[in-house]
Amino acid sequence: MSDKRIIYLDNAATTAVRKEVLDAMLPWFIEHYGNPSSIHSVGRDAKRAVENARKQVAMAIGAQPQEIYFTGGGSESDNWAIRSAAEMLQSKGKHIITSSVEHHAVLHTCEYLEKKQGCRVTYLPVDEDGRVNPDDVKAAIAEDTVLITIMAANNEIGTLQPIAEIGRIAKEAGVLFHTDAVQAIGAIPVDVNEWNVGLLSLSAHKFHGPKGVGALYIRKGVRMNNLIYGGAQEKNLRAGTENLASIVGLGKAIELATAELPAHAARMTMLRDRLIRGILEAIPDVRLNGHATQRLPGNVNVSVRYIEGESLLMRLDLAGVEASSGSACTSGSLDPSHVLLAIGLPHEIAHGSLRLSLGNGNTDADVDYVLKVLPGIVETLRAMSPLSASNACPA
Amino acid sequence: MYSDKVMDHFENPRNVGELADASGSGTVGNAKCGDIMKMDIKVEDDIITDVKFKTFGCCAAVATSSMATEMIKGKTVSDALALTNRAVAEALDGLPPVKMHCSILAEEAIHAALEDYQKKHPQG
């Protein structure tokens, strides 16, 4: 194992913590271990570190520091944003608008509100590239609509949504707008005012920060429910002693990611497009999933016909390439990814999807290596498959 | 998550391919669920002398197909019919619970091929 070359191409799942981020975090374990709520100097040090991180996060997304609330990550932020909005605004209405390609943290929360809280949820369709049509958002807004929640960028196929346009529509209609920006931070410019969002979720480990920490942006004036009772932390809304070192790490990671965004995005886009072009040229019967240009700089998602995703992942893993798939076998159910089905892929093509997501650590040599090994792996698996161009679906 | 035996049969599957002169063949599963198995068998004097498979599916689907072909090669038709999915899974040192359906598919593929053979050769 130790001498095996590992090419990590699953940065949409998680990223390595950057050295600078870890260095920023380390003093807050042993040297400065105070509780930010304590009034003594050790506590005040810790409090300053938390507030500094809050400023760093605010700066990165064009917000005010007092609008940033630290959470345990993206899923927590999504759950909190949506449940709180539904509960706080229920006297006004019980209708929520979302899309069919959201992360499960959004979709399952909406399903819960539908089943247990009597909410009505509109799941907007997407086009073949995975884009929501802003006109559909506009048309779906009703008297009782209290929340629109549409992700900024899709985690599977990388498609960017027309968030600013949807934000404008939400603002005009006076409807609260939440966006899951977990994949967007560090990949595309994020500005809460340009986007007109009232709530925005983010997660540190997607941009080379630590796992288990994130934030929810809550625009001044948006009233929120308590997420956790029992303390004055995060303005009484989320009790519990702050995850000090991780919050410091989040602040550092988002500061670096934002400062380096233009150069980073340009380099990722170049690697991405080389990978996409190389795969489409070298392997027949492959399709690109997601929008060709309106996509995350680091996201490649292709469907390789006649083979199944998990087999492909395992063979790639044996060759040292770490990737991901939307096949049923990787989802824990019999259905392939809801995103791939939403863009209109038949099941058998959705089962053969492959996601390669680039990050800071990837180089041209990594792209070369994937382009060298992938065609052979596909050929081997296709030779074992009962499906082929002349026999696409016997059953 | 997978045993060494599963990985071995996935990396080096036995009896991959098709038989041009198959005595019976069967295809089970469907693309919707992400698993399709095709088995070809050659039967001579009630003995399965050759067997080949092709599988569209996950690691466990490939490994169970491969192991099932090894387990029936050289067996009589009635012995092969007695092969259970549990026996295939055990021969692979077990499968993760969510992958047991792959072993059921392997049993069904063998049965489908044997039934096809019996239909074509009513005298047995």
Side-chain angles (χ1 to χ4, degrees):
Chain A
M1 277 301 284
S2 56
D3 58 341
K4 191 174 134 189
R5 184 169 176 200
I6 295 278
I7 294 174
Y8 185 78
L9 287 170
D10 204 10
N11 288 279
T14 197
T15 59
V17 172
R18 284 177 69 152
K19 179 76 169 61
E20 304 95 307
V21 171
L22 180 64
D23 287 345
M25 292 172 69
L26 284 175
W28 300 96
F29 287 103
I30 293 176
E31 292 160 56
H32 307 288
Y33 48 82
N35 185 327
S37 298
S38 301
I39 61 165
H40 46 62
S41 71
V42 174
R44 292 199 304 273
D45 269 359
K47 179 76 175 171
R48 266 194 297 277
V50 170
E51 295 317 311
N52 183 52
R54 206 182 301 281
K55 273 189 210 132
Q56 290 170 313
V57 174
M59 285 273 283
I61 61 171
Q64 298 297 314
Q66 60 271 25
E67 296 175 312
I68 303 300
Y69 295 74
F70 293 116
T71 67
S75 293
E76 182 182 315
S77 295
D78 284 343
N79 273 250
W80 187 19
I82 297 165
R83 288 176 70 166
S84 176
E87 235 173 280
M88 296 302 279
L89 299 169
Q90 57 182 324
S91 59
K92 200 182 150 215
K94 289 195 149 197
H95 180 229
I96 296 169
I97 298 168
T98 187
S99 85
S100 49
V101 295
E102 297 298 308
H103 189 276
H104 283 132
V106 168
L107 286 180
H108 290 174
T109 304
C110 286
E111 284 162 21
Y112 155 80
L113 290 168
E114 250 179 328
K115 283 188 191 126
K116 304 281 181 181
Q117 303 295 329
C119 288
R120 188 163 62 83
V121 181
T122 300
Y123 300 91
L124 293 175
V126 292
D127 65 17
E128 59 184 16
D129 294 325
R131 299 258 287 178
V132 171
N133 184 342
D135 291 341
D136 290 349
V137 178
K138 200 169 188 173
I141 296 173
E143 276 285 284
D144 60 340
T145 305
V146 291
L147 177 72
I148 297 168
T149 172
I150 309 271
M151 70 199 326
N154 188 268
N155 49 311
E156 292 187 37
I157 58 173
T159 296
L160 307 179
Q161 297 297 350
I163 288 298
E165 248 178 292
I166 296 169
R168 223 167 12 250
I169 290 164
K171 193 183 181 187
E172 276 163 22
V175 177
L176 181 61
F177 180 32
H178 166 251
T179 191
D180 174 337
V182 164
Q183 295 287 336
I185 302 285
I188 58 168
V190 174
D191 186 302
V192 292
N193 294 315
E194 258 173 48
W195 285 2
N196 276 306
V197 290
L199 301 162
L200 178 145
S201 305
L202 61 92
S203 178
H205 75 108
K206 304 294 191 185
F207 45 87
H208 302 279
K211 293 167 183 63
V213 66
L216 180 64
Y217 158 78
I218 305 173
R219 185 177 290 276
K220 191 165 176 281
V222 173
R223 290 176 57 232
M224 292 293 286
N225 243 348
N226 279 46
L227 179 64
I228 303 174
Y229 293 94
Q233 294 88 354
E234 303 306 295
K235 293 190 209 138
N236 285 313
L237 293 177
R238 187 186 186 270
T241 300
E242 294 86 344
N243 186 0
L244 179 59
S246 292
I247 287 172
V248 170
L250 164 58
K252 187 69 186 173
I254 203 166
E255 185 182 78
L256 289 169
T258 310
E260 296 170 5
L261 194 151
H264 172 72
R267 196 173 78 84
M268 292 299 105
T269 302
M270 189 201 68
L271 293 178
R272 174 195 79 188
D273 290 345
R274 267 195 66 213
L275 250 182
I276 292 173
R277 223 176 18 249
I279 291 170
L280 295 181
E281 277 169 13
I283 308 172
D285 292 320
V286 174
R287 58 156 283 155
L288 175 69
N289 296 320
H291 199 283
T293 54
Q294 290 298 305
R295 71 186 298 132
L296 286 169
N299 175 287
V300 175
N301 189 309
V302 292
S303 276
V304 185
R305 289 195 75 159
Y306 319 128
I307 62 178
E308 192 277 333
E310 195 212 57
S311 284
L312 185 53
L313 290 192
M314 297 295 282
R315 290 256 169 190
L316 279 170
D317 185 29
L318 291 167
V321 178
E322 315 294 307
S324 158
S325 168
S327 85
C329 277
T330 58
S331 75
S333 75
L334 282 180
D335 281 321
S337 137
H338 65 287
V339 176
L340 298 175
L341 297 180
I343 62 170
L345 293 193
H347 277 70
E348 70 268 26
I349 296 176
H351 282 301
S353 82
L354 173 68
R355 182 185 72 182
L356 303 165
S357 45
L358 298 148
N360 277 349
N362 295 121
T363 62
D364 270 306
D366 295 345
V367 171
D368 293 339
Y369 183 74
V370 172
L371 292 177
K372 196 179 87 183
V373 300
L374 184 61
I377 289 173
V378 169
E379 207 175 309
T380 303
L381 288 170
R382 279 185 174 164
M384 286 168 56
S385 173
L387 304 183
S388 64
S390 58
N391 190 17
C393 193
Chain B
M1 126 190 213
Y2 288 126
S3 71
D4 290 348
K5 269 203 183 147
V6 171
M7 286 311 293
D8 177 38
H9 277 264
F10 173 66
E11 280 186 74
N12 312 294
R14 281 64 145 175
N15 306 310
V16 176
E18 288 167 306
L19 293 174
D21 56 345
S23 323
S25 79
T27 301
V28 297
N30 65 71
K32 198 167 182 290
C33 298
D35 289 305
I36 300 172
M37 282 182 200
K38 180 174 182 285
M39 290 272 180
D40 288 349
I41 53 168
K42 175 96 185 138
V43 182
E44 286 166 292
D45 298 330
D46 196 44
I47 301 287
I48 297 166
T49 55
D50 203 0
V51 50
K52 296 274 185 210
F53 81 91
K54 278 200 165 187
T55 291
F56 166 88
C58 64
C59 195
V62 172
T64 52
S65 314
S66 167
M67 179 54 90
T69 59
E70 284 215 311
M71 290 173 81
I72 63 162
K73 211 170 181 175
K75 296 271 170 66
T76 63
V77 169
S78 61
D79 279 353
L81 275 168
L83 181 76
T84 64
N85 77 295
R86 198 165 292 277
V88 176
E90 273 167 21
L92 287 165
D93 291 338
L95 286 170
V98 294
K99 300 288 185 180
M100 279 306 285
H101 71 275
C102 295
S103 65
I104 295 171
L105 215 55
E107 178 189 315
E108 286 173 357
I110 299 266
H111 281 200
L114 289 167
E115 278 159 24
D116 182 50
Y117 161 75
Q118 285 174 328
K119 220 182 306 165
K120 287 175 180 161
H121 304 82
Q123 310 308 317

